[in-house]
């Protein structure tokens, strides 16, 4: 008789442990069976959290101020400080209007376009689409207002204006200044131009050696 109680109790425990808490969401971390000192791993690393406190520093703050004399790297909005060429830094001509063409500091070559494509695929294609037609994946999730690059206005727009949209955002589009360096932004502008050009190809663009393959005279 006693065995029946024990077996029943075990079965109840087994059932509960297998099924009892299924689907429950826990907010506190799980209990550790093995103590921290026995299995130190990546799970246990001393670290400071943002705006946390620290007993190590005299002012008690974990966030450290910049050491004196430090200047921001050529990255993000503050990076402008290091670039004296307005065209390069802001996409502006000397009269403050958006500059046409690429700044003198930009060296246009295959590698630069490739770099632009890499950034474009990561940061722009989700909305603007791989072809720049505004049909990115976000459209399927209800974001329908992303424009195509292949309309007359954006084909004719100054390079500096494209740069400005990337650097400062426009309307519903956020700035990418914290994601792309000044140089990377220009590389993306170049790639946007390449995408636009790709949609306007004509028979005249086909190299002579390939014309016959396509049946072009
Ligand atoms: C989260 C979605 C999203 C991402 C990512 C995005 N854009 Fe946009 N983009 C928009 C939307 C929405 C607009 C329309 C903004 C408006 O006019 O309100 C826009 C507008 C533009 C325009 C037209 C600006 C004009 O003058 O009318 C350009 C050019 C552009 N984006 C380039 C880019 C580039 C380059 C990237 C990547 C660095 C990028 N966008 C990333 C959503 C996005």
């Amino acid at each position: 008789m006693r065995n029946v109680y024990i077996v029943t109790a075990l079965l109840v425990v087994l059932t509960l442990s297998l099924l009892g808490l299924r689907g429950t969401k826990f907010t506190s971390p799980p209990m550790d069976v093995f103590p921290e000192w026995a299995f130190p791993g990546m799970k246990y690393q001393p670290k400071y959290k943002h705006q946390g406190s620290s007993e190590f520093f005299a002012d008690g703050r974990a966030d450290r101020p910049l050491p004196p004399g430090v200047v921001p790297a050529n990255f993000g909005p503050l990076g402008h400080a290091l670039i004296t060429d307005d065209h390069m830094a802001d996409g502006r001509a000397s009269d403050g209007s958006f500059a046409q063409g690429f700044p003198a500091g930009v060296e246009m070559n295959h590698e630069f376009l490739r770099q632009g494509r890499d950034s474009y695929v990561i940061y722009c294609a989700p909305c603007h689409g791989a072809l720049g037609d505004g049909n990115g994946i976000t459209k399927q999730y209800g974001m329908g207002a992303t424009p195509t690059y292949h309309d007359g206005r954006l084909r004719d727009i100054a390079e500096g204006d494209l740069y400005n949209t990337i650097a400062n955002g426009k309307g519903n589009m956020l700035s990418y200044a914290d994601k792309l360096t000044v140089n990377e932004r220009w590389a993306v502008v170049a790639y946007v131009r390449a995408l636009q050009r790709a949609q306007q190809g004509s028979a005249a663009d086909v190299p002579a050696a390939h014309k016959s393959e396509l049946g072009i005279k």
Side-chain angles (χ1 to χ4, degrees):
M1 193 60 196
R2 212 171 129 228
N3 284 350
V4 174
Y5 288 133
I6 292 174
V7 169
T8 313
L10 283 176
L11 278 177
V12 168
V13 169
L14 188 70
T15 314
L16 277 181
S17 55
L18 287 180
L19 304 172
L21 300 170
R22 272 167 66 106
T24 311
K25 285 203 174 121
F26 297 93
T27 49
S28 49
M31 217 173 68
D32 272 311
V33 180
F34 299 105
E36 186 181 328
W37 50 262
F39 291 98
M42 291 177 73
K43 208 168 148 192
Y44 303 105
Q45 293 180 55
K47 67 176 176 213
Y48 289 129
K49 295 200 170 162
H50 288 304
Q51 305 190 354
S53 63
S54 161
E55 287 175 12
F56 180 79
F57 296 106
D59 61 4
R61 292 188 296 174
D63 289 339
R64 306 311 304 150
L66 293 179
V70 159
V71 288
N74 183 8
F75 191 87
L78 295 174
H80 287 193
L82 292 181
I83 302 175
T84 47
D85 174 6
D86 286 348
H87 190 166
M88 186 78 166
D90 302 317
R92 303 271 178 180
S94 50
D95 64 1
S97 65
F98 288 120
Q100 300 283 345
F102 288 84
V106 158
E107 201 185 323
M108 193 63 67
N109 54 34
H110 197 233
E111 188 44 44
F112 191 65
L113 279 172
R114 191 198 303 274
Q115 189 193 328
R117 183 188 61 190
D118 288 351
S119 301
Y120 181 87
V121 168
I122 295 169
Y123 294 113
C124 321
C127 291
H128 289 277
L131 300 177
D133 55 6
N135 287 322
I137 183 80
T138 50
K139 197 166 196 176
Q140 291 173 30
Y141 292 88
M143 188 170 168
T146 315
T148 168
Y149 300 143
H150 309 303
D151 66 8
R153 189 181 67 85
L154 288 179
R155 277 179 186 158
D156 294 341
I157 206 170
E159 278 76 9
D161 205 342
L162 292 174
Y163 174 90
N164 179 65
T165 297
I166 301 173
N168 300 313
K170 185 159 196 173
N172 286 331
M173 188 184 134
L174 295 179
S175 154
Y176 282 80
D178 60 340
K179 314 258 185 327
L180 299 167
T181 63
V182 167
N183 209 47
E184 284 166 344
R185 291 172 218 163
W186 281 109
V188 171
V189 172
Y191 189 66
V192 168
R193 283 297 188 226
L195 286 176
Q196 290 177 321
R197 188 72 186 79
Q199 299 293 315
Q200 300 174 81
S202 72
D205 296 316
V206 180
H210 294 284
K211 282 196 169 159
S212 65
E213 290 168 25
L214 298 170
I216 302 170
K217 288 200 196 75

